[in-house]
Amino acid sequence: MKVHLNINPAIKEDEIIITVKEMNTKVERILSIINEDDANGVIPLQMEERIYLVELHEISHVISEDEKCFAFRGKKKYRYKDTLKQFEERYGKHDFIRISKYCLANKVWMEYFEATFGGSLVVFFKNGEKETVSRKYAKELKKALLKE
């Protein structure tokens, strides 16, 4: 892989051009770093016709529902512009962990867990919301919570 860096103090805005033969994991990692817009820990979320700038630590969990992505801040549900996967790639290092195919949970907002009669696990958040932890992600969740 060739890399060219051209530093030009005369330009008004940084521009990155990537030319690849095909998409691969290395390029995806580079793009995720470039696209990280959480330098200040704030992301834009939409509710009705307004855009709110919300700090990541205020979000309890993010879900995918009807092919749309929503973030919960307190009891309020906001629309996130991208997919759940893109949210995970950008902000996963900010205490978010996948608990199901449709949900990312903020570890800081988890209050307690309950087992159901069917053997599944439900996480209750400090804001009163709850989500089911799928069996597929239960082991990963346990590891992430117990390593701290």
Side-chain angles (χ1 to χ4, degrees), residues 35-135:
N35 289 325
E36 262 185 25
D37 50 27
D38 67 321
N40 58 3
V42 175
I43 61 170
L45 297 175
Q46 182 178 353
M47 182 187 287
E48 297 169 2
E49 298 301 315
R50 294 183 178 165
I51 303 292
Y52 295 86
L53 297 177
V54 178
E55 294 186 30
L56 284 168
H57 67 84
E58 296 179 41
I59 299 170
S60 62
H61 62 293
V62 183
I63 63 168
S64 177
E65 183 178 88
D66 298 326
E67 297 183 20
K68 294 179 183 162
C69 190
F70 299 96
F72 286 81
R73 176 187 185 204
K75 289 283 190 185
K76 294 181 180 175
K77 184 177 176 181
Y78 298 82
R79 173 84 162 89
Y80 176 65
K81 65 179 178 170
D82 292 322
T83 66
L84 188 64
K85 181 175 174 58
Q86 289 168 322
F87 185 96
E88 182 177 29
E89 288 170 354
R90 288 183 188 141
Y91 310 113
K93 64 182 180 281
H94 291 275
D95 292 322
F96 286 92
I97 184 166
R98 188 171 287 272
I99 62 168
S100 73
K101 183 178 179 182
Y102 306 102
C103 183
L104 289 168
N106 188 335
K107 293 185 282 186
V108 176
W109 276 86
M110 293 178 185
E111 188 168 28
Y112 64 93
F113 298 88
E114 271 185 15
T116 65
F117 290 115
S120 61
L121 193 62
V122 177
V123 61
F124 289 81
F125 297 97
K126 294 174 184 173
N127 60 357
E129 297 289 326
K130 65 181 181 178
E131 288 292 332
T132 302
V133 178
S134 74
R135 290 180 185 169

Side-chain angles (χ1 to χ4, degrees), residues 1-4 16-31 34:
M1 174 184 284
K2 295 181 191 175
V3 177
H4 301 277
I16 298 173
I17 299 170
I18 300 174
T19 306
V20 296
K21 185 175 183 176
E22 61 185 19
M23 187 60 90
N24 58 47
T25 56
K26 187 182 268 188
V27 174
E28 286 175 357
R29 282 197 323 255
I30 292 168
L31 288 174
I34 292 168

